[in-house]
Amino acid sequence: ELQPFGREATQMAPAIDHYAILGLAFGASPEEIKKAHKKMALMYHPDKVQAKGGDPEVASAKFREIQESYQVLTDEKAKSAYDALQEAKRAQNLKREVKLEEMDKKRKLGVDLLEAREKAAKRRSEDLSGLEARYQSEVNRMHEQNKKVLEEMEARRREENEKKANSLFFAAENRANELQREAETIREKTRTLTLKWAKKGALDEPALRAAFEPFGEIDRLVVGKKSGIIIFNGDAAAANAVHSVRASQLALVASAGLSVEWTGGDAPAATPAEQAASATDAAKPNGETAGDPAPLAGNVGAAAAFAALAGAKAGV
């Protein structure tokens, strides 16, 4: 897990020995750094320390130090800046010791030599400050990189969640549309009848309308030479028409050999109210009906049947 770290560039980083934190000598190889990090991270992992009865807060602080040291020593630019800083400190300490000895020997030579040495020491101090600032700048850069990686990971997670939600929504919407189309097809079959008669050209549209309009309002009627399709605006009207034809209550049954079938195949199931209405209407004179339901929209299957019949009308 990436751990953001680093201090503001305006603050000077403390004297942290990253090699010592990992139990290494200065200038250790990348293989040694990787091996030492794995060992120390396992040793001071807060969960493992807590499981052994140790203090998880202390372990967590140590674990963060280990992670920071490892990131510094495995980042090429940060390691270069840190090594240069450490080498400069060592060189400065060594030079300081040598110079102090020389100053002790030459102090007696005069005030001029002492001032020259002080100026040289000041210049070295300024160089060291520049290296400190460079090191801190690299640490801050690593912090910003880690922050950017975390933000990108969060953005990808949100995008994946949004895609999953959209996929579920569209699947549900498509299923609802399918169910609606199925319901419309079923409703249409309860109002559509196929008519057939024995002699070619024996019946035409006016004759069929005159025979079937008493049962209820007709939505559409297509007539061929020996067959036709009729769609009523109400389910009860279609059921009454079928009942009357099959009971030979229409004159056209005897005169033209008229027969009727449900276009969808089997007769649709009728509700008790529809059965009662059908029985009442069948008993009325001249095929009068008590009234039909309102027209249905979307006659998909019947429209296809009408188009097929109209296209083959000359050859029926």
Side-chain angles (χ1 to χ4, degrees), residues 199-265:
K199 187 176 180 180
K200 185 181 295 187
L203 296 176
D204 56 13
E205 182 175 347
L208 290 171
R209 283 190 177 275
F212 284 98
E213 279 182 344
F215 297 107
E217 184 178 354
I218 296 174
D219 181 11
R220 273 174 286 177
L221 174 62
V222 172
V223 181
K225 294 182 179 181
K226 294 179 66 177
S227 64
I229 293 178
I230 184 170
I231 298 179
F232 288 95
N233 280 339
D235 299 353
N240 290 336
V242 171
H243 174 77
S244 297
V245 172
R246 291 181 177 178
S248 299
Q249 294 177 354
L250 288 183
L252 295 180
V253 175
S255 63
L258 178 67
S259 65
V260 64
E261 296 177 356
W262 294 100
T263 301

Side-chain angles (χ1 to χ4, degrees), residues 80-94:
S80 174
Y82 177 75
D83 287 349
L85 174 61
Q86 294 299 99
E87 289 174 354
K89 286 182 177 180
R90 292 186 177 192
Q92 184 187 35
N93 291 336
L94 180 60

